[in-house]
Structure formats: structure tokens, C-alpha cells
Amino acid sequence: MAKKEDISFEAICRDIKKRNFAPVYILMGEEPYFIDRITNLLMDSVLNETEKDFNQIILYGADTDAAQILNAARRFPMMAEYQLVVVREAQQIRNIDQLSHYVKNPLQSTILVINYKYKTLDRRKALAAAAEKNGIVFESKKVPDYKMAGFVTSMLQERSVTIEPKAVQMLSDFLGNDLNRLVKELDKLIILLPENGLKRITPDLVEENIGISKEYNNYELIKALVLKDVLKSNRIIQYFEKNPKNNPIQATLPVIFNYFSNLLIAFYSKDRSENGLMTALGFRSPYQVKDYLAGLRNFSAMKVFTLISEIRQTDARAKGVENSSVSDAELLKELVYKILH
């Protein structure tokens, strides 16, 4: 079993695949994707199909309480090494901290899995403290936007699929960090790849099957703004205006804000070389740094500082603050003008 201070999603999965099981798993946090992945891996790994009939119990928070979970956990397995008790939607259990009485001294033949989604348990209370001592407590956090490209690339590498950097950025900009939706779209693309030979996801494949334009998207808008390409920038925002459903301002503003926030970090980085910026910004590929090197040439730190304030104001106005009549398209046009001039 990996040391508790080193516990990560990858480490937990490695241990499960090696059948190094903990008696208790508390899986909690904002991002349901990792919680579901670990739970499904346990359900696939702990018991074989014939053992599941008598030894796999699934409970739901809305229909159960701590007493029922305790009774299930204290049973012994029938004709199997383990029994698996999975509690879904555990955040709905009012008296959940009563499980601490069991978790302080859990049966080694029971694997208790508690899915506590969209919230976190108070680590100071008895249940979380006991689970950290005798089992696994994993907090599933949202993947930050700036790490999405690396996450997508790593996920595909596990399936022997590569992806072009532009295609990664198109998907990240369009889907954000909604991992469940992202995985569904990637599964769709992988099915379309040839069975033999190089399996590579391209911008054309994304455009044809996900409905994202490879020429008119947030990624291309950032490139145009960074290079001060007035014509291309205006063409893109005109395309956004004609296709508001696929290009809402609420999706574009965070991308612009993220770029200029990172660019400000780049300005104050001691090492502004390609490798230095990769380290400062937490990027894994030199491809991700190109726009920031261009930004350092084409903007001043003071201009970037001012633009961050302008982006925040535009976001507030798009949400109705001190704005009763200006459309989202007009707000974006105003902001793009300020960035380019």
C-alpha cells in the first residue's frame, strides 16, 4: 500500500490492481469522475462474478442510514476472501459520522467504499480521522484549466492514442474541465480511429465529430489576439456572434482571463526562456508556451494588468452587473478592441 502522504488517484489505482486493498475508502470531493473510476475499479477487482452474488452490497444514501451500513460491513464474506460494500450518494446520510465506530476497527475481510460526492467530510471529525488512520481518504478535486491539456494527453496515452496539441486545446476550450463529458467525447473519437496503424486524434477529427470549428474557436482567438491580428480576431468573434450556442461568452471569457493571468506570471518569472516558462506555468509541452513567448513580445506588463481588470468588468457586465442593454456579442467586441489597441 502506498504511503498515506503519497496517496493520489494513480497510486490508489495501482494498489487496487495489485490487490492491495484498504478496508475503508472514503472518496469525496467536487470531481465525480475520479470517485467513479476508483469505485468501478474496486467493483471490477475485488470479487469475481460468482462471488458478487453473495458478497457485493450496494447501498444508497437516500435509502439507508449509518446503522444499516454498519450491519452490512460487519458481515463476513461467503465463500470468498472479501465482501465489498459500496455506499453511493453518502453525502445524503445525516448521521454518517456514526460510521466512525466501525472505521476505528474495521474488518479486514470487508472493503467499505463511501462515495461522498460534491462535498468533503470535516477531517477533524471522528470518521475522516479514523479512515485516514485505518484506510484511504481521497479528495477528488477539479482539474485546473491549465492542466487539462496534460490530463487529456496522459489519459489517451493509457489507451495507446496520441493527440495533436491543437486538438487538445480545442477540446479543453470547448468542454472545460467537465471530465465525464470529456471522456464521452474522447470515447466517441477513439471509436472512429483505425484499428491498425497510428491512432492519432487530429483537429479535423474533432471538428467533424464534436462540432468545434478548427478555425473559429477560443484557442484560435487567443492566438489572434496575442499576435495582434485584427482581421482574424474580428472574423472569429463575428463567427461567435452567429453561433452563440456553441460559443457563449461565458466559455470565452475564462479562456481569455486564464491566458492573461498566466502571461502576468510569465512577466514576473525570473527565467523567461521556453523551459523557464514551462516550469513557472506548470506546462508539460513546449507547444503550450509559444503563445506566452509571443505575448511577452507584444504586450507590456502594465497593459496585461489593465486587461485583467477589463476582463473582470466584462464578465460582471455579462452577468448583468451595471448592464441592462449591451449584448454579449457587443461586450466581447469591446473587450477584443481593448486588447488589440
Side-chain angles (χ1 to χ4, degrees), residues 142-290:
K142 289 284 188 184
V143 177
D145 290 337
Y146 71 92
K147 289 187 176 181
M148 280 303 298
F151 177 81
V152 172
T153 302
S154 296
M155 181 189 295
L156 290 171
Q157 282 177 345
E158 292 176 6
R159 302 172 71 171
S160 301
V161 175
T162 60
I163 183 168
E164 293 184 17
K166 183 174 179 178
V168 173
Q169 202 65 52
M170 289 168 66
L171 287 167
S172 300
D173 289 347
F174 187 65
L175 301 173
N177 58 359
D178 183 341
L179 298 190
N180 282 320
R181 186 181 174 200
L182 174 67
V183 170
K184 288 178 183 176
E185 298 295 354
L186 289 175
D187 286 342
K188 184 196 301 183
L189 295 173
I190 290 170
I191 290 171
L192 299 170
L193 295 174
E195 290 187 14
N196 300 315
L198 180 65
K199 293 188 176 183
R200 187 170 181 82
I201 295 174
T202 64
D204 287 335
L205 192 70
V206 173
E207 180 177 38
E208 292 165 8
N209 297 282
I210 308 298
I212 312 169
S213 169
K214 68 177 180 180
E215 298 298 332
Y216 301 102
N217 55 64
N218 290 324
Y219 172 68
E220 292 298 325
L221 176 60
I222 290 295
K223 286 184 65 176
L225 292 174
V226 170
L227 297 175
K228 298 290 186 77
D229 188 332
V230 176
L231 180 60
K232 186 173 181 180
S233 297
N234 283 304
R235 281 178 176 169
I236 292 171
I237 60 175
Q238 285 170 9
Y239 178 87
F240 285 3
E241 184 176 10
K242 293 176 182 176
N243 299 272
K245 186 176 180 180
N246 287 336
N247 304 279
I249 194 172
Q250 293 80 8
T252 299
L253 290 179
V255 175
I256 299 175
F257 181 82
N258 184 58
Y259 172 80
F260 283 104
S261 296
N262 280 340
L263 185 57
L264 196 60
I265 293 172
F267 267 109
Y268 290 100
S269 175
K270 291 181 180 179
D271 183 355
R272 295 187 190 178
S273 68
E274 187 176 272
N275 289 333
L277 291 181
M278 283 178 62
T279 301
L281 299 175
F283 292 157
R284 298 176 61 180
S285 166
Y287 187 89
Q288 295 172 275
V289 178
K290 289 181 179 178

Side-chain angles (χ1 to χ4, degrees), residues 29-46:
E30 291 181 75
E31 180 50 70
Y33 173 78
F34 298 112
I35 294 173
D36 291 340
R37 279 280 304 272
I38 293 171
T39 301
N40 291 339
L41 184 57
L42 283 163
M43 293 177 72
D44 290 339
S45 303
V46 175

